[in-house]
Amino acid sequence: MNFKMLVFSGIMTALVGAILGLVVNHTTSARSRQPIFIIAGSTLGFVIGVGYEAVQQNKHEETD
């Protein structure tokens, strides 16, 4: 497995998750939870990105 690609994919989707967290933060009125939306979005994005890339690499290795 290419771990550099896993980390890169995780970081890119974490950025997307952080942006979505900022959007949710902007649209909600609960100002006491501002950092939670950003942290949760970026963490969830990182986990999804790494998982997706691991599945893609595993599929590629099985076909070779």
Side-chain angles (χ1 to χ4, degrees):
M1 254 191 208
N2 187 355
F3 291 106
K4 289 181 183 178
M5 196 65 179
L6 287 173
V7 171
F8 178 75
S9 178
I11 289 172
M12 289 298 113
T13 53
L15 288 174
V16 171
I19 291 170
L20 287 174
L22 284 172
V23 169
V24 170
N25 182 30
H26 183 70
T27 58
T28 188
S29 61
R31 296 293 174 210
S32 62
R33 299 183 197 157
Q34 286 179 353
I36 294 174
F37 291 126
I38 299 167
I39 293 170
S42 60
T43 303
L44 189 60
F46 186 83
V47 169
I48 290 172
V50 168
Y52 181 77
E53 185 63 29
V55 168
Q56 290 297 324
Q57 287 184 15
N58 192 21
K59 280 184 182 178
H60 183 67
E61 288 176 2
E62 286 179 358
T63 58
D64 289 343

